[in-house]
Amino acid sequence: MGVLGTAGRKRKQRADEDAAPALFSAAVDMAMHSDEEGDNEDSDANDEVDEFPEIDAQSDSEEYDSAADAEEDEDDEADDDDASSDNEHHIFPRPKTVVSDITGQPKRVYPEIEPDYDSDSSTEDTPNRVGNVPMHWYDDLPHVGYDIDGKKVLRPARGDELDKFLQTVEDPSAWTSAFDKNTQMDKPLTPEELDIIRRLHDHENPDAGYDPYEPMTEWFTGKGKEEVMPLSAAPEPKRRWVPSKWEKKKVMKIVRAIRQGRIVPNKPKASTQQQFYSIWAEPSTSHAPSLPAPKTKLPTNSESYNPPEEYLPTEAERKEWEEKDSEDRERDYLPQKYSALRLVPGYDRFIKERFNRQLDLYLAPRVQRAKLNIDPKSLIPKLPSPSSLRPFPTYKALTFSHSGGFARCLSLSPNGAWAVSGDDKGVVSMWEVNVGREVKQWKFSSKIGSIEWCPRTDVSYFAVGIEETLHFIIPPNLPAAVYNLTYKLLAPATLPPPSETPSVVKWTTTSSSKWTIDTPILTLNLPQSSGFPKQTAWHRKGDYLATVSGGGPQGGVWIHQISKRHSQAPFKKIRGDVQLVQFHPVKPHFFVATQQYVRIYNLAEQTLLKTLMPGIKWISSMDVHSSGDHVIVGGYDRKLCWFDLDLSEKPYKVLRYHSRAIRSLHFHPTYPLFASSSDDGTIQIFHSRVYNDLMTDPLIVPLKILRGHEIKDGLGVLQVKWCNSHPWLVSGGADGAVNVWCS
C-alpha cells in the first residue's frame, strides 16, 4: 500500500509540472557564489545547475491512486535506493555546480551553514588573531587586532571608573570575571578556574584531584614483583672461573723477593716508652711575650680578722659608710674584729669579687706597647725666621686723632700719599700719610658708615657712605689734568641715556654754579629703609662700585656703574643677611659673605659657582688675594680661615691668634703680607707667600703683633688698610686714633 501511494503521488506530480510552472522549485534553486563573483550576478540560462529534489505539497495526504504498474514500482524502488545511498555518503547539504567568472571553469558551491543559537562555542578560537604581540601597540588605534579573515576587530566600548564601580555594586558576580587584554573586555571565569584561584590563594595544589596522602604504589618491591632477570644479557666471561695467570706471576715475584731477603718485614720498636706532649705549648715566635695578668692586691691591716683598734670605725663612720653609694665609698668593706679565726663567718662578697676579678683579667691589655721617645720640638713645623722675611711693619710712626669718637673707617689713595678717615660724628678728614698733617675736612649729618678711594690712577675721588646716601667727593690739590678728567666723569656735560630697566636709586649731580670743594659733586640716594652703607667695594677697573646696607628687600646689595650712572640689585632674593661683598681681581666673579657662608657668583653667566663653608658662627671680615685664588675670612668667634679656591670648599688652614672678635682683614696688593685686627686691641702681621706651582702649599708665617690702640666700650681696632707702594699699615680704632705703622 505504501508502494501504490508513492506511485500515485509520482504521477500526480508529473501532471502538475506539465500544467503549471515549477515556481517553488525555482525559488528553492539558489546558488552560493564564491568571493570572487559579484553579488549582483544572476543565474544565467546557459549555466548548468543541478536541481534540488522537488517537494511535493501533497505528500502528506492520505489519498493516492490504487492502480500502479509493476515497472513504475520497480523504478521507484531503484530511485529510492539511489537516494538513500547518496544520503548516506553526503551528510552535508548537496553542492551546486556553477561556472566561475574568473577562471571560466565549473566549481562546486556549498550553502552557508548557520549554527543555532544553542550551539556550543567553547571550542571556538578567539576572534583576535594577532598572536603574542604587545597589546599596547593598539592603544592609540580604534581596533585591537585582526580576525582570521584579516578584518579589524574593533575596540569594545568601555565605561569609566564610575561605571566599573556601579557594575560591581549592581552585579554581585562581577568579581568572577577577568580582563582579557587580547579582546579588551571582561571574560567570565568558569567555576573550575575560580576553584584554581581559590586554591592558589590558600597555598593549596591547584589540581582538585591531587591527593598528597595517597598510598605508595610499589612497582618493584613486594611479593611477586622481584626482578629475577639479569641487568645484562651478555654471557658470563671466562675470567670469572679461570685463575688469573698475571696474578700468579705477581705473587711468585713477591715470594722470590722475600726468600732472597730483598723484602724485609717491619721490625718491632726496641723501646716501648710512652711519649707525652704538652697541649698548652705554643709555637716559637719572634714577637714579644704577652704581659702577665695583673696580680690581686695583698690584704692590709684593716682587712685582718683581728685588726688594731685604730682601724675599727666608729658608729658615726659606720653610719656614714652605709648611707653612701657603693661607688662613692673609699672601701668596699668595714673592718671587723673577731677574737678567734674560727669565729669569722663566710665572706658574703666572695662571688661578686671573683666576678670582678674575671672582668679585670678579660679586659686587661696583653699587648706590650713600645714607648716612643719623641722630641716635642720636632713636632713643631720649622718656619723661617721673621728677620729673613722683611720688610713688614714693626713700629708706630705717627698718629692722627679723631675727636668725634670711633675711627670706624679709612681708606688710602692709589699712590699711597693720602688717607681719608671718618668717625661717628660725621667728620671725614683727609691727611698726609708721611707726616700726618690734615689737609681737608668734610662734615656730614650722620655717622660715617664706609669710605673707599677709587682705584683708578687717571682720576682721583672717593666715596663716602652715610645714612641711605652715598657721596662722591673730589679731594683738593689735584693736578689740572686729573682734576678735569675727574670732573667730567662725575659731572658730565651730557648725561648718558637712561637704562631700559629703571632703578630706584636716584643719581643727583650738583650744578657747577653751586658746587665747591667742600660739598660732594655726586650723590646717590639709596632706597628708603636701606640703612647706612656698612661696606663699599670697588672693582679693580674703578667703574663699578658695590655697597652693602643694613636692610632692604634685596639683601642691601647694590652695584653702581659710574660711567652709565645706573644702579642695579644683583639679587632679587638672597638667603641670609649679607655681611660683606668683594669683586674678583681678575675674573667676573662676585663674592658674597653671609653670616655663615661665602658664595661665589659668576656675574657674566649669572650662576652660583661655589659655596665656601668656613665653619664660623658669624662672619665679620673678608678679603681676596691679588691672584684671585685665595680668600681669607674672619669671624666674631676669633677664627681666621684661609681658603684655597682650587682645593676645596673647606678651609685650607684655620688660624687662632686673637683672643677676641676679628674686625678687619686686608691683603697687601704687592707684598706677600696680610694683617688682621681684633677687639683685643692688637694687629697680627702675617707673611703669606703664594707660589705659582700648584703642588706647593702657601707659606703662612706669623711675623709681628702690633699693640698701640686702646680698648674702648669693648671694641679695639676696627679697620686696617695697607699702603699700595710701601709695606706700611694704617689702622683705625675705637679710641679715635688712626695709626701709621712703618717698617
Side-chain angles (χ1 to χ4, degrees):
M1 184 173 181
V3 174
L4 293 177
T6 303
R9 286 194 299 271
K10 289 286 184 178
R11 286 195 301 270
K12 193 173 184 179
Q13 181 179 354
R14 289 191 184 98
D16 294 338
E17 289 177 357
D18 295 337
L23 299 176
F24 183 75
S25 62
V28 175
D29 189 8
M30 295 183 296
M32 185 176 68
H33 300 283
S34 63
D35 296 337
E36 292 82 357
E37 295 174 339
D39 296 335
N40 57 354
E41 183 178 354
D42 298 333
S43 178
D44 297 333
N46 297 328
D47 296 341
E48 296 180 0
V49 180
D50 293 338
E51 295 183 356
F52 283 101
E54 297 180 353
I55 301 175
D56 187 4
Q58 299 179 359
S59 61
D60 294 336
S61 64
E62 297 180 355
E63 297 180 357
Y64 53 86
D65 192 359
S66 60
D69 298 329
E71 295 177 357
E72 292 177 355
D73 295 341
E74 293 175 359
D75 294 339
D76 293 340
E77 290 177 359
D79 294 340
D80 293 340
D81 295 338
D82 295 339
S84 61
S85 62
D86 292 341
N87 292 333
E88 291 177 358
H89 290 88
H90 298 278
I91 60 175
F92 295 105
R94 289 179 177 274
K96 296 179 182 180
T97 302
V98 297
V99 178
S100 176
D101 293 342
I102 298 176
T103 62
Q105 300 294 331
K107 66 174 182 179
R108 293 183 176 182
V109 178
Y110 291 90
E112 186 177 358
I113 299 175
E114 296 182 359
D116 296 334
Y117 288 103
D118 58 349
S119 62
D120 187 10
S121 61
S122 60
T123 59
E124 295 180 2
D125 295 334
T126 174
N128 194 358
R129 305 302 292 270
V130 295
N132 188 14
V133 299
M135 295 307 296
H136 63 82
W137 292 354
Y138 297 94
D139 288 346
D140 300 333
L141 300 176
H143 60 282
V144 295
Y146 302 89
D147 58 5
I148 193 171
D149 296 329
K151 298 181 180 180
K152 296 181 180 180
V153 178
L154 297 180
R155 186 187 305 275
R158 299 189 65 194
D160 54 3
E161 298 297 331
L162 182 58
D163 294 337
K164 294 180 182 179
F165 174 73
L166 294 177
Q167 183 179 2
T168 57
V169 174
E170 297 172 357
D171 187 5
S173 62
W175 66 273
T176 61
S177 61
F179 180 72
D180 188 4
K181 293 183 179 179
N182 199 4
T183 59
Q184 295 291 319
M185 62 177 60
D186 293 336
K187 180 178 180 181
L189 299 178
T190 61
E192 291 79 8
E193 293 173 342
L194 292 175
D195 184 65
I196 292 175
I197 294 175
R198 182 192 62 78
R199 289 177 173 275
L200 291 176
H201 183 268
D202 296 340
H203 305 285
E204 298 179 1
N205 195 291
D207 187 6
Y210 173 74
D211 184 11
Y213 306 106
E214 62 182 0
M216 184 180 65
T217 303
E218 299 179 353
W219 300 101
F220 304 104
T221 59
K223 186 176 181 181
K225 298 180 181 180
E226 298 85 354
E227 290 188 357
V228 296
M229 300 301 293
L231 298 180
S232 176
E236 192 76 11
K238 187 178 180 180
R239 62 178 177 272
R240 296 287 178 90
W241 65 86
V242 176
S244 176
K245 295 182 179 181
W246 180 85
E247 291 180 356
K248 180 180 179 181
K249 292 180 180 180
K250 192 70 175 177
V251 172
M252 292 306 298
K253 184 179 179 180
I254 297 174
V255 170
R256 285 193 298 269
I258 294 174
R259 290 175 180 176
Q260 295 175 4
R262 289 184 287 109
I263 296 178
V264 180
N266 296 331
K267 296 181 180 181
K269 295 182 180 180
S271 61
T272 59
Q273 184 179 1
Q274 296 181 357
Q275 295 182 359
F276 301 95
Y277 301 93
S278 177
I279 61 176
W280 302 108
E282 296 181 359
S284 60
T285 178
S286 59
H287 296 286
S290 58
L291 295 177
K295 297 181 180 180
T296 57
K297 295 181 180 179
L298 297 176
T300 59
N301 293 336
S302 60
E303 297 181 65
S304 174
Y305 74 93
N306 190 13
E309 295 294 335
E310 57 268 17
Y311 290 98
L312 297 176
T314 61
E315 291 296 332
E317 294 176 350
R318 181 184 296 274
K319 186 176 181 180
E320 182 182 0
W321 183 86
E322 292 176 352
E323 292 177 354
K324 288 184 178 180
D325 295 335
S326 58
E327 294 83 3
D328 300 335
R329 296 170 182 172
E330 296 181 1
R331 302 175 182 176
D332 295 338
Y333 62 92
L334 279 177
Q336 297 181 8
K337 188 177 181 63
Y338 299 96
S339 58
L341 184 60
R342 57 185 174 81
L343 300 178
V344 177
Y347 189 40
D348 55 347
R349 299 184 67 255
F350 176 78
I351 297 178
K352 188 174 182 179
E353 283 191 357
R354 291 298 94 188
F355 176 72
N356 293 335
R357 172 64 177 168
Q358 297 296 330
L359 289 180
D360 294 341
L361 294 176
Y362 171 69
L363 300 175
R366 294 291 189 273
V367 180
Q368 187 174 4
R369 301 184 183 277
K371 186 178 181 180
L372 300 178
N373 295 325
I374 301 176
D375 186 10
K377 296 182 180 180
S378 63
L379 300 177
I380 302 176
K382 294 182 180 180
L383 299 176
S385 175
S387 58
S388 63
L389 301 176
R390 292 180 183 275
F392 57 86
T394 57
Y395 67 96
K396 182 170 62 175
L398 56 92
T399 301
F400 179 83
S401 299
H402 277 270
S403 60
F406 299 161
R408 189 176 297 276
C409 49
L410 59 94
S411 181
L412 278 76
S413 61
N415 57 7
W418 305 96
V420 288
S421 57
D423 56 16
D424 284 352
K425 289 188 177 181
V427 176
V428 176
S429 299
M430 177 179 174
W431 44 279
E432 192 174 357
V433 176
N434 290 332
V435 296
R437 181 178 62 89
E438 185 178 10
V439 177
K440 184 65 178 175
Q441 188 178 100
W442 292 269
K443 178 66 176 177
F444 294 95
S445 58
S446 62
K447 66 180 181 178
I448 308 301
S450 62
I451 293 179
E452 198 67 33
W453 209 297
C454 180
R456 294 177 58 177
T457 56
D458 55 342
V459 297
S460 180
Y461 65 95
F462 57 90
V464 179
I466 62 174
E467 189 73 23
E468 299 179 357
T469 309
L470 192 65
H471 298 289
F472 293 89
I473 300 175
I474 299 177
N477 304 328
L478 293 179
V482 176
Y483 175 79
N484 293 333
L485 187 59
T486 304
Y487 188 84
K488 290 180 181 180
L489 176 65
L490 298 180
T494 58
L495 297 178
S499 177
E500 297 178 358
T501 57
S503 176
V504 295
V505 178
K506 304 300 180 183
W507 294 64
T508 304
T509 304
T510 306
S511 61
S512 58
S513 59
K514 297 181 180 180
W515 178 77
T516 60
I517 199 69
D518 297 333
T519 59
I521 189 173
L522 179 63
T523 302
L524 271 70
N525 296 320
L526 300 177
Q528 295 182 358
S529 70
S530 295
F532 70 96
K534 56 185 177 181
Q535 191 218 1
T536 305
W538 283 95
H539 190 264
R540 60 182 178 87
K541 293 185 178 180
D543 191 25
Y544 289 94
L545 174 67
T547 58
V548 180
S549 302
Q554 295 84 8
V557 181
W558 290 90
I559 296 180
H560 315 280
Q561 188 175 5
I562 306 301
S563 59
K564 294 185 179 181
R565 303 170 71 90
H566 177 67
S567 301
Q568 60 181 346
F571 308 107
K572 294 182 179 180
K573 185 177 180 181
I574 190 170
R575 291 176 295 178
D577 296 335
V578 179
Q579 306 296 318
L580 303 161
V581 295
Q582 286 288 343
F583 286 98
H584 195 282
V586 180
K587 301 177 182 179
H589 295 172
F590 195 56
F591 295 82
V592 179
T594 58
Q595 289 186 2
Q596 296 182 351
Y597 301 99
V598 178
R599 296 182 175 89
I600 305 175
Y601 296 91
N602 190 331
L603 296 179
E605 300 178 358
Q606 298 182 2
T607 56
L608 175 64
L609 297 179
K610 187 182 293 186
T611 300
L612 305 180
M613 295 177 286
I616 298 176
K617 296 181 180 179
W618 197 303
I619 296 175
S620 62
S621 53
M622 176 182 62
D623 198 18
V624 184
H625 193 265
S626 57
S627 65
D629 296 333
H630 302 271
V631 179
I632 52 176
V633 180
Y636 291 114
D637 54 355
R638 303 170 297 175
K639 291 182 182 179
L640 193 154
C641 300
W642 178 292
F643 285 93
D644 190 343
L645 300 182
D646 295 332
L647 288 181
S648 173
E649 300 175 353
K650 300 293 182 65
Y652 160 69
K653 189 167 290 187
V654 179
L655 308 177
R656 294 180 178 86
Y657 286 93
H658 290 285
S659 60
R660 300 186 69 179
I662 297 177
R663 288 288 177 177
S664 178
L665 297 172
H666 194 214
F667 273 113
H668 199 286
T670 56
Y671 288 90
L673 298 171
F674 79 89
S676 65
S677 63
S678 173
D679 284 340
D680 57 4
T682 63
I683 302 172
Q684 296 278 352
I685 307 297
F686 295 90
H687 176 86
S688 57
R689 182 174 297 277
V690 177
Y691 300 93
N692 295 328
D693 184 11
L694 297 178
M695 301 300 295
T696 306
D697 296 333
L699 178 62
I700 304 174
V701 182
L703 298 177
K704 186 69 175 178
I705 301 177
L706 303 179
R707 293 181 174 89
H709 288 275
E710 297 180 359
I711 300 175
K712 186 177 181 182
D713 297 338
L715 301 177
V717 185
L718 300 180
Q719 194 169 16
V720 291
K721 291 287 184 179
W722 288 98
C723 183
N724 292 345
S725 56
H726 302 283
W728 299 348
L729 184 68
V730 181
S731 62
D735 54 354
V738 181
N739 298 334
V740 179
W741 308 85
C742 298
S743 58

